[in-house]
Amino acid sequence: MRRIFSGVQPSGNLHLGNYLGAIRNWARLQSDYDCVYCVVDLHAITMPQDPAELRANTREVAAGLIAAGIDPETNILFNQSQVAEHAQLAWIFNCVARLGWLNRMTQFKEKAGKHRENATVGLYAYPTLMAADILLYKATHVPVGEDQKQHLELARDIAQAFNSMFAIDLFPAPEPLIFGQAARVMSLRDGSRKMSKSEASDFSRINMTDDADAIAAKIRKARTDPEPLPGDEAGLDGRPEAANLIGIHAALADTTVAEVCARFAGQPFSTFKAALTELAVAELGPIGAEMKRLAGDPGHVDGLLHAGAARARALARPILDEVSKAVGFLMP
Ligand code: TYM
């Protein structure tokens, strides 16, 4: 069996990094795998969230996944907090994972910043919940952007440690699926930083709901360097902003960085940016429009998430029962 699990946090706007690094691939994988896709609201609360905004973002992210082509009938699409088994398995994994393993997680260090003593225990234990998400369905493959690779390695370690602790072959070792040149989309303002929902400037990212004017303005203002575009990939060395924009172009056009370089060799950024804007608007325009249409019918989205949660629970329950039995919990 080949089963996919992946998740996205409802902690702000979905952006081009989420789309190219993850969501577009999720939609493409749905014909070849049995897919479970989750809006991870339990992960979102590891950082402070306004409750009304969290609800709105959960609906908006679900709408974004549907608008990007994920079919909630053939796949399972739900929000994490509706399936309590995630939290139950995460607790068990808290009793498997070692402090030393979690201490190595770079995302915690980045998010906790200088005030580590003040970070929540939830933020620290974030990766054990992520391992629970995946392993609760015995998922074999996990499509993610590059930034989640370390968390996935931890999920593999937890799967293995659980199996050996209880002398049972219960969990598979889930494999990351990381695709192509858009696995790490960078900020439009600074080619050394990841494009992210938490970056203060909205001009650092293209949101999936941005209209054509906003997309054009952001690409026009995107940071570049004074040189014309290089004719080959090697010419992108030491030019992070150019490399990022060309990578985005290649991903949107479903081609390679080498081909984009060959096409725009020696041309100024203005010509290239016009072509990139056209591509981005063509791809994101219809998705943003569909997201807005779905936003007008929140009851419909809630209904889909509710139905998805029931289907997710039906898969998760027997697996959590196997886990409980292995651990030695007294069962009804
Ligand atoms: P999150 O919500 O930060 O991001 C969702 C997905 O988008 C990818 N991504 C990017 N890809 C390329 N370039 C970028 N700039 C960029 N920014 C984000 C992420 O890699 C991710 O695939 N911990 C996860 C959510 C999660 C999860 C899981 C994922 C919870 N449980 C189980 C997989 C399996 C996260 O915070 O993603």
Side-chain angles (χ1 to χ4, degrees):
M1 188 194 59
R2 301 193 323 159
R3 179 176 285 160
I4 275 181
F5 182 95
S6 203
V8 54
Q9 294 196 64
S11 51
N13 290 333
L14 286 179
H15 54 71
L16 191 64
N18 298 130
Y19 179 68
L20 292 176
I23 297 168
R24 183 175 73 159
N25 303 321
W26 298 4
R28 290 177 174 185
L29 290 162
Q30 56 190 338
S31 48
D32 295 328
Y33 292 80
D34 168 21
C35 300
V36 183
Y37 294 131
C38 187
V39 184
V40 292
D41 46 8
L42 296 176
H43 277 105
I45 64 161
T46 57
M47 297 296 270
Q49 302 290 334
D50 173 78
E53 266 177 38
L54 180 62
R55 251 186 303 278
N57 282 337
T58 301
R59 290 189 180 114
E60 187 179 276
V61 168
L65 300 184
I66 296 165
I70 290 163
D71 178 357
E73 305 289 331
T74 50
N75 305 290
I76 295 180
L77 174 63
F78 71 108
N79 62 305
Q80 193 184 24
S81 62
Q82 289 204 59
V83 180
E85 284 79 358
H86 286 252
Q88 285 175 269
L89 185 58
W91 177 257
I92 295 169
F93 286 169
N94 281 342
C95 305
V96 173
R98 306 300 150 135
L99 285 182
W101 305 354
L102 289 172
N103 283 340
R104 285 201 292 273
M105 296 295 116
T106 54
Q107 184 177 293
F108 174 76
K109 291 181 198 162
E110 279 161 24
K111 287 199 175 175
K114 287 192 201 95
H115 310 288
R116 202 179 290 188
E117 295 294 309
N118 215 17
T120 66
V121 175
L123 187 66
Y124 187 71
Y126 181 113
T128 62
L129 177 59
M130 185 161 155
D133 295 341
I134 298 164
L135 295 169
L136 187 56
Y137 303 93
K138 296 191 181 177
T140 52
H141 295 83
V142 187
V144 283
E146 185 79 35
D147 61 336
Q148 296 301 317
K149 210 170 152 192
Q150 195 186 34
H151 287 158
L152 255 150
E153 279 158 15
L154 187 85
R156 292 168 63 91
D157 288 346
I158 290 178
Q160 234 168 32
F162 182 95
N163 288 349
S164 84
M165 226 166 134
F166 297 103
I168 191 171
D169 189 19
L170 206 157
F171 292 121
E175 282 186 33
L177 295 175
I178 297 177
F179 294 91
Q181 54 283 100
R184 192 169 175 84
V185 177
M186 309 308 278
S187 156
L188 300 181
R189 306 299 269 173
D190 177 353
S192 67
R193 292 170 66 95
K194 192 178 70 168
M195 184 178 285
S196 141
K197 315 172 215 218
S198 49
E199 179 82 38
S201 166
D202 199 50
F203 271 86
S204 68
R205 64 184 157 260
I206 295 174
N207 300 309
M208 281 171 66
T209 46
D210 281 345
D211 61 18
D213 288 345
I215 293 173
K218 288 176 178 180
I219 293 178
R220 205 166 43 241
K221 287 204 167 180
R223 185 161 156 190
T224 53
D225 57 46
E227 302 296 316
L229 289 154
D232 56 30
E233 259 183 285
L236 290 169
D237 281 355
R239 301 180 65 185
E241 283 82 18
N244 185 39
L245 293 177
I246 288 184
I248 293 173
H249 188 296
L252 284 170
D254 258 322
T255 176
T256 60
V257 167
E259 269 184 58
V260 180
C261 289
R263 182 174 154 203
F264 290 96
Q267 300 203 36
F269 274 102
S270 52
T271 314
F272 168 77
K273 281 182 165 181
L276 180 60
T277 301
E278 205 175 301
L279 270 179
V281 169
E283 179 103 5
L284 294 182
I287 297 177
E290 178 64 2
M291 284 174 77
K292 282 179 196 132
R293 193 188 67 77
L294 287 166
D297 193 357
H300 175 64
V301 174
D302 289 6
L304 291 173
L305 289 174
H306 191 72
R311 288 166 62 205
R313 209 175 299 119
L315 289 181
R317 195 66 242 172
I319 295 174
L320 188 65
D321 284 348
E322 277 182 72
V323 173
S324 300
K325 198 165 154 235
V327 170
F329 293 155
L330 195 58
M331 309 273 292

